[in-house]
Amino acid sequence: MPRPTKQSPERGNARHRLLEAARDIIRAKGFAATSVDDLCRAADVTKGAFFHHFASKDALGVAVADFWAETTTDFFAAAPYHAPPDPLARVLAYVAFRKAIILGEIAEFTCLVGTLAQEVYATAPDIRDACGRSIFGHTDTLVVDIEAARIDRGIADDWTAESLARHTQAVIQGGFVLAKAGNDPALARESLDHLDRYIRHLFHVT
Amino acid sequence: MPRPTKQSPERGNARHRLLEAARDIIRAKGFAATSVDDLCRAADVTKGAFFHHFASKDALGVAVADFWAETTTDFFAAAPYHAPPDPLARVLAYVAFRKAIILGEIAEFTCLVGTLAQEVYATAPDIRDACGRSIFGHTDTLVVDIEAARIDRGIADDWTAESLARHTQAVIQGGFVLAKAGNDPALARESLDHLDRYIRHLFHVT
DNA sequence: ACACATACCAACCGTATGGTATGTTTTCCA
DNA sequence: TGGAAAACATACCATACGGTTGGTATGTGT
């Protein structure tokens, strides 16, 4: 049996390996501190291959933010928190899931596009916007359940589902910042407990 | 009258100008993307002067985090939110104050040590720890009022004053991340509204 | 008047950086 | 089975980077 001849544009080739290396290294060292040579070395690829696939380092930044958006979309779509029939239970299960996946090294559970946006927001608008699409695209997936829970429970308050969805991301991102500053993942989990309590308050859950 | 001969080590000299330049430029471009030459140019100082005052670029990073801690401590100590006699009112006034100072350009209201910690947590432990001291030193100033409000109102819940103080910082830092990713300061203010609502819920304020 | 320390400056150094020019190899498809 | 095109590799370039060197000007304590 021949090994795969027509190589898929998404699996195992230099471009894909470079994106994986970028995802891992940029999360640990930041974008500016990550050199093109670093990425080539990690992906076992030459510089010629890098600039064949990406017009510039900034273009790699945009591509890796898009790559992050795709992979996290798939990851969360396949996650178990969608199982409960009750929409509010799904929202709370989401928060619990986000807390549960805060494990291991800090660079392994923190958010690429959060750190990337924080670093380049003023210097690389293209990368910043790609990060924004990833973050706010994810919040959109939460809005449906929050809004359903809101109608379901007859909550009439002065907040919107979109706003609460964004707030969940703010708490998660802020937890990551504190975890990094304090060098302790528990700091990220702690804020998710407060978020859980807040949502229960909003929906009058005891 | 002679102009001051023995120059104070804290005012107007090269070191102080470099710290101010570092505070402003690093907030906008990030630490790694800010070159020593950038700082010298902005502070109108030569490279010789830079390395006279700071042993390395990393040492400047530690110094600017400490500088940030000092100036923000003074700034918040002088802020008006300490006025209310009721401790809970002071806590809510703090949140309102944090919301009120989110004005103008993103680089002007966001947190130096939050971005700095996020960028260098894995590569420069010294800078990271200086950022941690700044952030958690600030949370400590909130704990007193939160704990007083807790006792005052007889709240017996499963959270601590320290934990809630840290959560306020997580929400603030996360709001900054979203504001940068979405290029809109309103995103930072929005999360502070949720934080305000959360605290009112916790203390049973209508 | 002397020794000494601090603050600062201009010029320089080795290296690492993002990026390019020019191949060579592999894959696809007519 | 050609031949074009995509996918890589090698060698190189100009520059910008963090950091060093040797020096001067000025104040300071004795």
Side-chain angles (χ1 to χ4, degrees), chain A residues 5-7 34-37 47 51 56-57:
Chain A
T5 49
K6 175 185 174 182
Q7 58 187 209
T34 299
S35 72
V36 173
D37 282 331
K47 226 177 206 179
F51 284 100
S56 65
K57 191 190 172 189

Side-chain angles (χ1 to χ4, degrees), chain B residues 73-169:
Chain B
T73 296
D74 294 349
F75 174 74
F76 285 111
Y81 66 85
H82 304 284
D86 176 41
L88 176 57
R90 289 198 293 275
V91 173
L92 294 172
Y94 168 78
V95 175
F97 180 69
R98 292 307 305 252
K99 185 184 172 188
I101 58 177
I102 296 174
L103 288 172
E105 289 297 306
I106 290 180
E108 289 166 18
F109 62 77
T110 48
C111 177
L112 171 73
V113 292
T115 55
L116 199 48
Q118 178 111 327
E119 190 179 345
V120 306
Y121 74 100
T123 52
D126 289 356
I127 302 178
R128 178 200 64 200
D129 292 342
C131 293
R133 286 194 299 273
S134 177
I135 292 177
F136 299 111
H138 180 62
T139 67
D140 287 347
T141 69
L142 303 175
V143 168
V144 187
D145 282 344
I146 295 173
E147 185 60 24
R150 208 171 129 94
I151 292 168
D152 201 47
R153 310 252 162 170
I155 305 294
D157 211 334
D158 56 344
W159 52 270
T160 66
E162 288 77 11
S163 169
L164 181 57
R166 285 189 291 266
H167 181 59
T168 63
Q169 299 313 299

Side-chain angles (χ1 to χ4, degrees), chain B residues 8-33:
Chain B
S8 148
E10 297 298 337
R11 289 251 319 280
N13 52 7
R15 182 187 153 87
H16 192 258
R17 290 206 309 278
L18 280 167
L19 288 172
E20 288 179 319
R23 179 236 290 143
D24 297 338
I25 300 181
I26 294 173
R27 269 207 286 183
K29 306 199 339 179
F31 183 72

Side-chain angles (χ1 to χ4, degrees), chain A:
Chain A
M1 193 185 296
R3 69 196 101 70
T5 49
K6 175 185 174 182
Q7 58 187 209
S8 148
E10 298 298 337
R11 290 251 319 278
N13 52 7
R15 181 186 154 87
H16 192 259
R17 291 207 309 277
L18 281 167
L19 288 172
E20 287 179 320
R23 179 236 290 145
D24 297 338
I25 300 179
I26 293 174
R27 270 208 285 184
K29 307 201 336 181
F31 182 73
T34 299
S35 72
V36 173
D37 282 331
D38 285 341
L39 298 174
C40 293
R41 219 172 299 128
D44 197 31
V45 153
T46 61
K47 226 177 206 179
F50 182 99
F51 284 100
H52 170 72
H53 288 289
F54 306 103
S56 65
K57 191 190 172 189
D58 272 25
L60 176 275
V62 173
V64 77
D66 290 341
F67 177 65
W68 180 263
E70 289 162 28
T71 53
T72 55
T73 296
D74 294 349
F75 174 73
F76 285 111
Y81 65 85
H82 303 284
D86 175 39
L88 177 57
R90 288 198 294 273
V91 173
L92 294 172
Y94 169 77
V95 175
F97 181 69
R98 292 307 303 253
K99 185 183 173 190
I101 59 177
I102 297 175
L103 288 172
E105 290 297 307
I106 290 181
E108 289 166 19
F109 62 77
T110 49
C111 177
L112 170 73
V113 292
T115 55
L116 198 47
Q118 178 111 326
E119 190 178 346
V120 306
Y121 75 100
T123 51
D126 289 356
I127 302 178
R128 177 199 64 200
D129 292 342
C131 294
R133 286 194 299 275
S134 177
I135 292 176
F136 298 111
H138 180 62
T139 68
D140 289 346
T141 68
L142 303 175
V143 168
V144 187
D145 282 344
I146 295 174
E147 185 60 24
R150 208 170 129 94
I151 292 169
D152 201 46
R153 311 251 164 169
I155 304 293
D157 210 333
D158 57 342
W159 52 271
T160 66
E162 287 79 10
S163 169
L164 181 57
R166 285 189 292 266
H167 182 59
T168 63
Q169 298 313 298
V171 172
I172 290 165
Q173 297 287 345
F176 291 157
V177 172
L178 262 65
K180 286 173 181 172
N183 197 29
D184 181 5
L187 292 163
R189 286 185 221 107
E190 182 179 58
S191 268
L192 284 170
D193 288 336
H194 284 285
L195 179 61
D196 177 83
R197 195 180 290 106
Y198 176 50
I199 295 173
R200 291 175 191 273
H201 273 301
L202 286 180
F203 287 93
H204 313 307
V205 180
T206 47

